[in-house]
Amino acid sequence: MNLFKKTNAKPVTAGLHKIVLFWIVVMSGLSLAHNTAYAVVEIDITQGNVEPLPMAVTDFVSDDDIGTKISGVIAEDLRRSGLFAPINKAAFIQNISNPDVSPRFEDWRIINAQALVVGRVSRETDGRLRTEFRLWDTFAAEQLLGQQFFTRPENWRRVAHIIADAIYEKLTGEHGYFDTRVVFVSESGPRNDRKKQLAIMDQDGENLRFLTNGDDLVLTPRFSPSRQEVTYMSFAQGQPRVYLLQLETGQREIVGNFPGMTFSPRFSPDGQKVIMSLEQDGNANIYTMDLRSRKTTRLSNTSAIDTSPSYSPDSNQIVFESDRGGRQQLYVMNADGSDQKRISFGDGSYSTPVWSPRGDLIAFTKQSGGKFSIGVMRPDGSGERILTTGFHNEGPTWSPNGRVIMFFRQPAGASGPQLYSIDLTGYNEQRVDTPNFGSDPAWSPLLK
Protein backbone atom coordinates (compact mmCIF):
# COMPACT_ATOMS: atom_id res chain seq x y z
CA MET A 1 0.00 0.00 0.00
CA ASN A 2 1.42 3.37 -0.98
CA LEU A 3 1.13 5.92 1.79
CA PHE A 4 2.24 9.51 1.54
CA LYS A 5 2.53 12.73 3.47
CA LYS A 6 0.99 15.79 1.92
CA THR A 7 1.76 19.28 3.21
CA ASN A 8 -0.57 22.20 2.60
CA ALA A 9 0.66 23.99 -0.48
CA LYS A 10 -0.28 27.35 1.00
CA PRO A 11 0.64 27.66 4.68
CA VAL A 12 -2.26 29.02 6.67
CA THR A 13 -0.16 30.52 9.45
CA ALA A 14 3.33 31.71 10.07
CA GLY A 15 5.24 30.43 13.04
CA LEU A 16 7.19 27.47 14.32
CA HIS A 17 7.08 24.32 12.19
CA LYS A 18 7.72 21.24 14.27
CA ILE A 19 9.35 18.07 13.08
CA VAL A 20 6.74 15.38 13.55
CA LEU A 21 6.81 11.62 13.33
CA PHE A 22 4.55 10.26 10.64
CA TRP A 23 3.29 6.79 11.21
CA ILE A 24 2.22 4.03 8.86
CA VAL A 25 -0.59 1.68 9.83
CA VAL A 26 -1.03 -1.20 7.43
CA MET A 27 -4.55 -1.94 8.61
CA SER A 28 -5.73 1.65 8.51
CA GLY A 29 -3.73 3.32 5.78
CA LEU A 30 -3.48 6.76 7.38
CA SER A 31 -1.26 9.61 6.29
CA LEU A 32 -1.26 13.20 7.44
CA ALA A 33 0.15 16.66 6.99
CA HIS A 34 1.08 18.87 9.89
CA ASN A 35 1.37 22.67 10.11
CA THR A 36 1.53 24.36 13.51
CA ALA A 37 1.87 27.78 15.04
CA TYR A 38 2.46 29.08 18.53
CA ALA A 39 -0.66 28.56 20.67
CA VAL A 40 -2.23 31.47 22.48
CA VAL A 41 -5.07 29.47 24.03
CA GLU A 42 -3.56 26.96 26.45
CA ILE A 43 -4.71 24.71 29.29
CA ASP A 44 -2.52 23.94 32.32
CA ILE A 45 -3.51 20.38 33.18
CA THR A 46 -1.10 20.22 36.11
CA GLN A 47 -3.60 22.19 38.22
CA GLY A 48 -5.91 20.39 40.63
CA ASN A 49 -9.33 21.23 39.19
CA VAL A 50 -9.20 22.46 35.61
CA GLU A 51 -12.02 24.66 34.34
CA PRO A 52 -13.03 23.20 30.96
CA LEU A 53 -12.19 25.42 27.99
CA PRO A 54 -15.30 26.56 26.04
CA MET A 55 -14.80 25.70 22.39
CA ALA A 56 -16.83 25.23 19.22
CA VAL A 57 -16.54 22.15 17.00
CA THR A 58 -18.49 22.79 13.81
CA ASP A 59 -19.93 20.18 11.47
CA PHE A 60 -17.26 19.43 8.90
CA VAL A 61 -18.35 20.35 5.40
CA SER A 62 -19.10 17.23 3.31
CA ASP A 63 -21.49 15.92 0.67
CA ASP A 64 -23.08 13.46 3.14
CA ASP A 65 -23.25 12.98 6.90
CA ILE A 66 -19.65 11.76 7.29
CA GLY A 67 -18.45 15.28 8.14
CA THR A 68 -20.98 15.58 10.96
CA LYS A 69 -20.02 12.13 12.27
CA ILE A 70 -16.31 12.94 12.37
CA SER A 71 -16.79 16.30 14.09
CA GLY A 72 -19.18 14.65 16.55
CA VAL A 73 -16.57 12.10 17.63
CA ILE A 74 -13.96 14.87 17.96
CA ALA A 75 -16.26 16.91 20.22
CA GLU A 76 -17.15 13.90 22.36
CA ASP A 77 -13.50 12.88 22.81
CA LEU A 78 -12.61 16.37 23.96
CA ARG A 79 -15.64 16.61 26.24
CA ARG A 80 -14.91 13.29 27.94
CA SER A 81 -11.39 14.46 28.76
CA GLY A 82 -12.89 16.98 31.17
CA LEU A 83 -10.61 19.70 29.83
CA PHE A 84 -12.90 21.05 27.11
CA ALA A 85 -16.54 22.12 27.01
CA PRO A 86 -17.90 21.92 23.44
CA ILE A 87 -20.62 24.55 22.99
CA ASN A 88 -24.08 23.45 21.84
CA LYS A 89 -24.31 23.94 18.07
CA ALA A 90 -27.67 25.65 18.50
CA ALA A 91 -25.75 28.66 19.86
CA PHE A 92 -23.60 29.04 16.74
CA ILE A 93 -24.10 32.30 14.86
CA GLN A 94 -21.93 31.67 11.80
CA ASN A 95 -22.50 28.72 9.51
CA ILE A 96 -19.09 27.55 8.26
CA SER A 97 -19.50 26.70 4.58
CA ASN A 98 -15.86 27.15 3.53
CA PRO A 99 -13.24 26.13 6.14
CA ASP A 100 -10.47 27.71 4.01
CA VAL A 101 -11.81 31.20 4.76
CA SER A 102 -11.03 32.90 8.05
CA PRO A 103 -14.09 32.75 10.32
CA ARG A 104 -15.92 35.81 11.60
CA PHE A 105 -14.18 35.82 14.95
CA GLU A 106 -16.64 38.23 16.57
CA ASP A 107 -19.44 35.68 16.01
CA TRP A 108 -17.51 33.10 18.03
CA ARG A 109 -16.28 35.47 20.75
CA ILE A 110 -19.82 36.52 21.55
CA ILE A 111 -20.70 32.92 22.52
CA ASN A 112 -17.38 32.62 24.42
CA ALA A 113 -15.90 30.00 22.08
CA GLN A 114 -12.22 30.45 22.92
CA ALA A 115 -11.18 27.85 20.35
CA LEU A 116 -12.87 26.94 17.07
CA VAL A 117 -12.54 23.74 15.02
CA VAL A 118 -13.63 23.72 11.37
CA GLY A 119 -13.07 21.17 8.65
CA ARG A 120 -13.99 19.47 5.40
CA VAL A 121 -14.35 15.84 4.30
CA SER A 122 -14.17 14.91 0.63
CA ARG A 123 -13.55 11.77 -1.40
CA GLU A 124 -10.55 11.25 -3.62
CA THR A 125 -10.85 9.63 -7.04
CA ASP A 126 -9.41 6.41 -5.59
CA GLY A 127 -12.19 6.26 -2.97
CA ARG A 128 -10.21 7.43 0.02
CA LEU A 129 -11.49 10.03 2.44
CA ARG A 130 -9.62 13.31 2.65
CA THR A 131 -10.23 15.02 5.98
CA GLU A 132 -8.96 18.53 6.66
CA PHE A 133 -9.32 20.60 9.78
CA ARG A 134 -8.21 23.91 11.24
CA LEU A 135 -7.99 24.97 14.88
CA TRP A 136 -8.46 28.69 15.56
CA ASP A 137 -7.86 30.88 18.60
CA THR A 138 -10.88 33.14 18.26
CA PHE A 139 -9.76 35.88 20.66
CA ALA A 140 -6.29 36.21 19.11
CA ALA A 141 -7.74 35.66 15.60
CA GLU A 142 -4.96 33.15 14.90
CA GLN A 143 -4.90 29.73 13.37
CA LEU A 144 -3.14 27.35 15.74
CA LEU A 145 -3.14 24.16 13.72
CA GLY A 146 -3.96 22.82 10.28
CA GLN A 147 -3.78 19.18 9.16
CA GLN A 148 -5.16 16.82 6.56
CA PHE A 149 -5.52 13.05 6.53
CA PHE A 150 -6.14 10.41 3.89
CA THR A 151 -7.66 7.04 4.76
CA ARG A 152 -10.17 4.43 3.68
CA PRO A 153 -13.80 5.36 4.47
CA GLU A 154 -14.20 2.63 7.10
CA ASN A 155 -11.47 4.27 9.19
CA TRP A 156 -13.29 7.57 9.69
CA ARG A 157 -13.50 7.13 13.47
CA ARG A 158 -9.72 6.77 13.70
CA VAL A 159 -9.30 10.04 11.81
CA ALA A 160 -11.62 11.71 14.33
CA HIS A 161 -9.63 10.34 17.28
CA ILE A 162 -6.32 11.44 15.75
CA ILE A 163 -7.66 14.95 15.16
CA ALA A 164 -8.88 15.09 18.77
CA ASP A 165 -5.39 14.00 19.89
CA ALA A 166 -3.81 16.77 17.80
CA ILE A 167 -6.11 19.41 19.31
CA TYR A 168 -5.53 18.07 22.83
CA GLU A 169 -1.76 18.20 22.36
CA LYS A 170 -1.79 21.69 20.87
CA LEU A 171 -3.84 23.18 23.68
CA THR A 172 -2.35 21.28 26.63
CA GLY A 173 1.23 20.52 25.58
CA GLU A 174 0.62 16.84 26.42
CA HIS A 175 0.14 13.90 24.07
CA GLY A 176 -3.46 12.82 23.62
CA TYR A 177 -4.89 9.37 24.28
CA PHE A 178 -7.96 9.14 22.05
CA ASP A 179 -6.48 7.01 19.24
CA THR A 180 -6.16 4.01 21.53
CA ARG A 181 -7.91 0.78 22.35
CA VAL A 182 -8.80 -1.07 25.54
CA VAL A 183 -8.80 -4.83 25.98
CA PHE A 184 -10.95 -6.17 28.81
CA VAL A 185 -12.95 -9.14 30.07
CA SER A 186 -16.57 -9.03 28.88
CA GLU A 187 -18.88 -10.85 31.32
CA SER A 188 -22.38 -12.08 30.54
CA GLY A 189 -24.89 -14.55 31.91
CA PRO A 190 -26.04 -15.33 35.46
CA ARG A 191 -23.60 -14.78 38.31
CA ASN A 192 -23.28 -18.52 39.06
CA ASP A 193 -22.60 -19.36 35.40
CA ARG A 194 -20.77 -16.29 34.10
CA LYS A 195 -19.36 -16.36 30.56
CA LYS A 196 -16.11 -14.43 30.27
CA GLN A 197 -14.74 -13.40 26.88
CA LEU A 198 -11.73 -11.36 25.93
CA ALA A 199 -12.92 -8.23 24.12
CA ILE A 200 -11.36 -5.13 22.61
CA MET A 201 -12.83 -1.70 21.83
CA ASP A 202 -11.84 1.87 21.11
CA GLN A 203 -11.21 3.91 24.25
CA ASP A 204 -14.66 5.46 23.90
CA GLY A 205 -16.40 2.07 23.86
CA GLU A 206 -16.99 1.89 20.10
CA ASN A 207 -15.89 -0.78 17.58
CA LEU A 208 -16.16 -3.60 20.10
CA ARG A 209 -15.17 -7.07 18.99
CA PHE A 210 -14.62 -10.33 20.84
CA LEU A 211 -11.24 -12.04 20.79
CA THR A 212 -12.28 -15.33 22.43
CA ASN A 213 -15.50 -17.32 22.20
CA GLY A 214 -16.17 -17.70 25.92
CA ASP A 215 -15.70 -21.47 26.07
CA ASP A 216 -12.78 -21.07 28.49
CA LEU A 217 -12.36 -18.71 31.43
CA VAL A 218 -10.09 -15.75 30.62
CA LEU A 219 -8.52 -13.35 33.10
CA THR A 220 -6.36 -10.22 33.37
CA PRO A 221 -5.37 -9.28 29.81
CA ARG A 222 -2.35 -6.99 29.43
CA PHE A 223 -1.25 -4.90 26.43
CA SER A 224 2.25 -4.94 25.01
CA PRO A 225 3.81 -1.46 25.14
CA SER A 226 5.52 -1.94 21.78
CA ARG A 227 3.18 -4.06 19.62
CA GLN A 228 -0.52 -4.66 19.04
CA GLU A 229 -0.31 -7.76 21.18
CA VAL A 230 -1.87 -8.85 24.45
CA THR A 231 -1.06 -11.47 27.03
CA TYR A 232 -3.76 -13.08 29.13
CA MET A 233 -4.57 -16.09 31.30
CA SER A 234 -6.92 -18.82 30.16
CA PHE A 235 -8.10 -21.94 31.95
CA ALA A 236 -8.53 -24.27 29.00
CA GLN A 237 -9.40 -27.77 30.26
CA GLY A 238 -8.98 -26.42 33.77
CA GLN A 239 -5.25 -25.73 33.32
CA PRO A 240 -3.94 -22.16 33.72
CA ARG A 241 -2.05 -21.13 30.61
CA VAL A 242 -0.62 -17.80 29.53
CA TYR A 243 -1.20 -16.82 25.90
CA LEU A 244 0.16 -14.18 23.56
CA LEU A 245 -2.39 -12.92 21.02
CA GLN A 246 -1.48 -10.88 17.94
CA LEU A 247 -4.45 -8.56 17.50
CA GLU A 248 -4.05 -7.82 13.81
CA THR A 249 -3.50 -11.40 12.66
CA GLY A 250 -5.38 -13.31 15.38
CA GLN A 251 -2.36 -15.59 15.83
CA ARG A 252 -2.19 -17.06 19.33
CA GLU A 253 0.66 -18.86 21.05
CA ILE A 254 1.17 -20.35 24.49
CA VAL A 255 3.82 -18.67 26.61
CA GLY A 256 3.71 -21.52 29.10
CA ASN A 257 1.72 -23.59 31.55
CA PHE A 258 1.90 -22.13 35.04
CA PRO A 259 -0.15 -24.11 37.60
CA GLY A 260 1.01 -21.75 40.34
CA MET A 261 0.22 -18.51 38.50
CA THR A 262 -1.29 -15.91 40.84
CA PHE A 263 -1.62 -13.02 38.40
CA SER A 264 -1.35 -12.58 34.66
CA PRO A 265 2.05 -11.42 33.35
CA ARG A 266 2.77 -7.83 32.39
CA PHE A 267 5.15 -6.86 29.61
CA SER A 268 8.44 -5.12 30.14
CA PRO A 269 8.59 -1.64 28.54
CA ASP A 270 10.47 -3.01 25.51
CA GLY A 271 7.98 -5.84 25.08
CA GLN A 272 10.73 -8.50 25.21
CA LYS A 273 9.93 -9.89 28.66
CA VAL A 274 6.95 -10.60 30.85
CA ILE A 275 6.95 -10.34 34.62
CA MET A 276 4.66 -12.49 36.75
CA SER A 277 4.06 -14.13 40.11
CA LEU A 278 4.34 -17.90 40.47
CA GLU A 279 3.27 -19.90 43.51
CA GLN A 280 5.31 -22.83 44.77
CA ASP A 281 4.91 -24.64 48.12
CA GLY A 282 2.41 -22.05 49.32
CA ASN A 283 4.65 -19.07 48.57
CA ALA A 284 4.36 -16.72 45.61
CA ASN A 285 7.39 -14.94 44.20
CA ILE A 286 8.17 -12.64 41.28
CA TYR A 287 9.71 -14.04 38.10
CA THR A 288 10.55 -12.67 34.67
CA MET A 289 10.46 -14.61 31.41
CA ASP A 290 12.37 -13.72 28.26
CA LEU A 291 9.84 -14.15 25.44
CA ARG A 292 12.53 -15.16 22.96
CA SER A 293 14.35 -17.80 24.98
CA ARG A 294 11.46 -18.60 27.40
CA LYS A 295 14.05 -18.49 30.20
CA THR A 296 12.67 -17.55 33.63
CA THR A 297 14.53 -15.60 36.30
CA ARG A 298 13.45 -15.42 39.93
CA LEU A 299 13.51 -11.93 41.46
CA SER A 300 12.02 -12.36 44.95
CA ASN A 301 12.46 -15.17 47.46
CA THR A 302 10.25 -14.85 50.52
CA SER A 303 7.82 -16.97 52.50
CA ALA A 304 5.09 -14.42 51.77
CA ILE A 305 2.88 -13.79 48.74
CA ASP A 306 4.54 -11.40 46.29
CA THR A 307 2.33 -10.66 43.30
CA SER A 308 1.01 -8.06 40.81
CA PRO A 309 4.40 -6.82 39.54
CA SER A 310 4.69 -3.85 37.17
CA TYR A 311 7.78 -2.31 35.56
CA SER A 312 8.70 1.36 35.67
CA PRO A 313 8.75 2.85 32.15
CA ASP A 314 12.57 2.98 32.15
CA SER A 315 12.73 -0.74 33.12
CA ASN A 316 14.96 0.04 36.10
CA GLN A 317 12.46 -0.72 38.88
CA ILE A 318 9.49 -2.94 39.64
CA VAL A 319 6.54 -2.26 41.92
CA PHE A 320 4.62 -5.19 43.41
CA GLU A 321 2.34 -6.08 46.30
CA SER A 322 3.33 -8.33 49.19
CA ASP A 323 1.85 -9.47 52.50
CA ARG A 324 5.28 -10.03 54.06
CA GLY A 325 4.42 -7.40 56.68
CA GLY A 326 1.14 -9.05 57.64
CA ARG A 327 -1.16 -7.50 55.06
CA GLN A 328 -0.95 -6.42 51.42
CA GLN A 329 1.33 -3.42 50.93
CA LEU A 330 3.26 -1.97 48.00
CA TYR A 331 6.97 -2.54 47.54
CA VAL A 332 9.53 -1.36 44.99
CA MET A 333 12.70 -3.19 43.96
CA ASN A 334 15.39 -2.85 41.33
CA ALA A 335 14.87 -4.76 38.09
CA ASP A 336 17.31 -7.46 39.24
CA GLY A 337 15.38 -8.01 42.50
CA SER A 338 17.72 -6.06 44.76
CA ASP A 339 16.90 -3.28 47.25
CA GLN A 340 13.31 -4.32 48.04
CA LYS A 341 11.58 -1.66 50.15
CA ARG A 342 8.05 -0.89 51.24
CA ILE A 343 6.47 2.34 49.98
CA SER A 344 2.84 2.23 51.26
CA PHE A 345 2.15 3.04 54.91
CA GLY A 346 -1.46 4.23 55.02
CA ASP A 347 -4.38 2.53 56.75
CA GLY A 348 -5.79 -0.52 54.99
CA SER A 349 -4.28 -2.80 52.37
CA TYR A 350 -2.87 -1.96 48.93
CA SER A 351 -2.95 -4.04 45.75
CA THR A 352 -2.79 -4.09 41.91
CA PRO A 353 -0.06 -1.44 41.54
CA VAL A 354 0.63 -0.12 38.04
CA TRP A 355 3.43 2.28 37.14
CA SER A 356 2.44 5.33 35.11
CA PRO A 357 3.83 5.58 31.55
CA ARG A 358 5.25 8.95 32.63
CA GLY A 359 7.13 7.34 35.51
CA ASP A 360 5.96 9.91 38.04
CA LEU A 361 3.16 7.98 39.77
CA ILE A 362 2.00 4.49 40.73
CA ALA A 363 -1.73 3.72 40.63
CA PHE A 364 -3.17 1.22 43.09
CA THR A 365 -6.28 -0.27 44.67
CA LYS A 366 -6.72 0.43 48.38
CA GLN A 367 -9.10 -1.44 50.67
CA SER A 368 -9.99 0.25 53.94
CA GLY A 369 -13.12 0.46 56.07
CA GLY A 370 -15.04 -1.92 53.82
CA LYS A 371 -14.53 0.28 50.75
CA PHE A 372 -12.28 0.03 47.72
CA SER A 373 -10.47 3.09 46.38
CA ILE A 374 -8.39 3.89 43.32
CA GLY A 375 -5.45 6.13 44.15
CA VAL A 376 -1.97 7.22 43.15
CA MET A 377 1.32 7.83 44.93
CA ARG A 378 4.84 8.77 43.94
CA PRO A 379 7.36 5.91 43.47
CA ASP A 380 8.86 6.64 46.90
CA GLY A 381 5.41 6.37 48.54
CA SER A 382 4.91 10.09 49.12
CA GLY A 383 1.97 12.17 47.91
CA GLU A 384 -0.71 9.50 48.22
CA ARG A 385 -4.04 10.71 46.77
CA ILE A 386 -7.34 8.87 46.54
CA LEU A 387 -9.12 9.60 43.26
CA THR A 388 -12.36 7.67 43.74
CA THR A 389 -13.94 5.39 46.35
CA GLY A 390 -16.76 2.88 46.01
CA PHE A 391 -18.15 -0.44 47.13
CA HIS A 392 -15.74 -2.38 44.93
CA ASN A 393 -13.23 -0.58 42.70
CA GLU A 394 -10.27 -2.47 41.30
CA GLY A 395 -7.81 -2.98 38.47
CA PRO A 396 -6.40 0.44 37.44
CA THR A 397 -4.82 0.84 34.01
CA TRP A 398 -3.18 4.01 32.62
CA SER A 399 -3.88 5.92 29.44
CA PRO A 400 -0.66 6.16 27.39
CA ASN A 401 -0.16 9.82 28.35
CA GLY A 402 -0.41 9.04 32.07
CA ARG A 403 -3.27 11.48 32.70
CA VAL A 404 -6.31 9.17 32.92
CA ILE A 405 -6.93 5.86 34.71
CA MET A 406 -9.51 3.25 33.73
CA PHE A 407 -10.73 0.70 36.26
CA PHE A 408 -13.71 -1.52 36.99
CA ARG A 409 -16.37 -1.13 39.66
CA GLN A 410 -19.13 -3.35 40.95
CA PRO A 411 -21.57 -1.18 42.91
CA ALA A 412 -23.36 -2.64 45.92
CA GLY A 413 -26.23 -4.81 44.77
CA ALA A 414 -25.17 -4.79 41.12
CA SER A 415 -25.15 -8.04 39.15
CA GLY A 416 -21.72 -7.43 37.64
CA PRO A 417 -18.81 -5.00 37.19
CA GLN A 418 -18.65 -1.98 34.87
CA LEU A 419 -15.80 0.05 33.42
CA TYR A 420 -15.05 3.61 34.50
CA SER A 421 -12.37 6.21 33.86
CA ILE A 422 -11.11 9.07 36.02
CA ASP A 423 -8.46 11.71 35.47
CA LEU A 424 -5.70 12.65 37.88
CA THR A 425 -7.67 15.58 39.29
CA GLY A 426 -10.25 13.12 40.63
CA TYR A 427 -13.05 15.40 39.39
CA ASN A 428 -13.76 13.87 35.99
CA GLU A 429 -15.17 10.37 36.44
CA GLN A 430 -16.88 8.76 33.45
CA ARG A 431 -18.59 5.46 32.90
CA VAL A 432 -17.36 3.58 29.81
CA ASP A 433 -20.38 1.85 28.32
CA THR A 434 -20.06 -1.78 27.23
CA PRO A 435 -22.87 -4.10 26.05
CA ASN A 436 -22.14 -6.59 28.84
CA PHE A 437 -20.45 -6.35 32.22
CA GLY A 438 -16.77 -5.45 31.98
CA SER A 439 -13.70 -6.04 34.16
CA ASP A 440 -9.89 -6.12 34.04
CA PRO A 441 -9.31 -3.33 31.49
CA ALA A 442 -5.88 -2.77 29.93
CA TRP A 443 -5.17 0.39 27.90
CA SER A 444 -3.18 0.17 24.68
CA PRO A 445 -0.37 2.51 23.60
CA LEU A 446 -1.25 5.06 20.94
CA LEU A 447 -1.98 3.27 17.67
CA LYS A 448 0.60 3.67 14.93
Side-chain angles (χ1 to χ4, degrees), residues 56-329:
V57 182
T58 65
D59 289 340
F60 285 14
V61 177
S62 63
D63 292 334
D64 51 24
D65 65 349
I66 190 66
T68 301
K69 289 181 178 179
I70 289 176
S71 61
V73 171
I74 295 168
E76 183 61 12
D77 277 349
L78 296 172
R79 183 197 66 79
R80 286 181 63 87
S81 75
L83 301 178
F84 305 93
I87 296 171
N88 190 315
K89 289 186 287 187
F92 294 178
I93 299 171
Q94 182 185 13
N95 177 37
I96 300 293
S97 58
N98 184 356
D100 296 328
V101 176
S102 294
R104 296 195 304 266
F105 294 108
E106 62 275 12
D107 287 352
W108 301 100
R109 295 176 191 138
I110 200 170
I111 63 171
N112 196 34
Q114 298 180 36
L116 170 66
V117 181
V118 301
R120 175 193 292 113
V121 183
S122 56
R123 296 182 186 271
E124 300 289 285
T125 56
D126 60 5
R128 291 179 304 160
L129 286 183
R130 172 178 175 173
T131 305
E132 309 164 73
F133 85 97
R134 301 180 193 273
L135 172 66
W136 295 90
D137 180 336
T138 60
F139 285 85
E142 275 189 40
Q143 180 178 303
L144 304 179
L145 191 62
Q147 294 181 351
Q148 59 183 351
F149 302 81
F150 297 84
T151 187
R152 296 195 302 267
E154 62 266 28
N155 297 316
W156 66 268
R157 291 190 66 90
R158 276 211 63 197
V159 172
H161 291 318
I162 293 173
I163 292 173
D165 279 332
I167 294 169
Y168 182 102
E169 181 172 356
K170 188 63 183 177
L171 297 181
T172 69
E174 300 277 351
H175 291 301
Y177 59 91
F178 306 118
D179 187 31
T180 58
R181 297 188 288 185
V182 175
V183 64
F184 67 102
V185 176
S186 177
E187 304 185 20
S188 59
R191 184 177 300 182
N192 60 353
D193 188 24
R194 189 60 54 86
K195 181 179 181 179
K196 294 190 175 185
Q197 295 175 263
L198 206 63
I200 191 168
M201 63 184 179
D202 295 348
Q203 52 79 28
D204 60 356
E206 297 293 332
N207 289 332
L208 183 141
R209 63 186 174 99
F210 293 103
L211 303 175
T212 61
N213 57 21
D215 290 343
D216 302 313
L217 176 66
V218 294
L219 297 171
T220 53
R222 301 287 180 255
F223 248 104
S224 168
S226 57
R227 294 184 295 273
Q228 289 300 303
E229 179 180 68
V230 296
T231 178
Y232 67 97
M233 285 184 66
S234 176
F235 285 79
Q237 291 82 47
Q239 295 297 319
R241 293 183 173 90
V242 175
Y243 289 90
L244 286 176
L245 176 65
Q246 300 287 342
L247 294 176
E248 303 301 347
T249 65
Q251 181 179 352
R252 188 177 74 162
E253 62 176 304
I254 296 177
V255 176
N257 299 322
F258 302 107
M261 175 71 67
T262 63
F263 213 81
S264 182
R266 289 187 185 274
F267 287 92
S268 61
D270 63 4
Q272 299 301 313
K273 295 180 181 179
V274 291
I275 188 167
M276 54 192 162
S277 176
L278 298 179
E279 183 179 352
Q280 296 178 349
D281 302 323
N283 304 325
N285 285 284
I286 308 298
Y287 291 77
T288 61
M289 172 182 280
D290 187 298
L291 290 174
R292 293 161 296 188
S293 66
R294 295 297 198 265
K295 178 183 177 181
T296 59
T297 302
R298 186 171 182 167
L299 299 182
S300 70
N301 187 5
T302 71
S303 59
I305 296 177
D306 297 346
T307 188
S308 302
S310 173
Y311 275 102
S312 63
D314 62 7
S315 300
N316 291 332
Q317 291 182 293
I318 296 163
V319 63
F320 63 100
E321 65 178 83
S322 176
D323 66 354
R324 63 183 67 179
R327 62 182 178 182
Q328 292 168 295
Q329 298 291 336

Side-chain angles (χ1 to χ4, degrees), residues 11-26:
V12 289
T13 63
L16 175 66
H17 289 260
K18 298 179 180 177
I19 298 176
V20 295
L21 176 65
F22 292 92
W23 57 89
I24 295 176
V25 183
V26 174

Side-chain angles (χ1 to χ4, degrees), residues 353-405:
V354 189
W355 217 302
S356 166
R358 300 169 63 89
D360 57 342
L361 295 170
I362 292 169
F364 56 84
T365 302
K366 182 177 182 178
Q367 185 178 3
S368 178
K371 295 183 178 180
F372 290 77
S373 302
I374 302 296
V376 293
M377 66 174 64
R378 298 188 186 98
D380 62 1
S382 64
E384 178 179 328
R385 289 190 297 117
I386 298 301
L387 302 179
T388 184
T389 298
F391 177 72
H392 188 176
N393 297 328
E394 196 173 351
T397 180
W398 290 94
S399 65
N401 69 350
R403 291 300 183 187
V404 182
I405 292 171

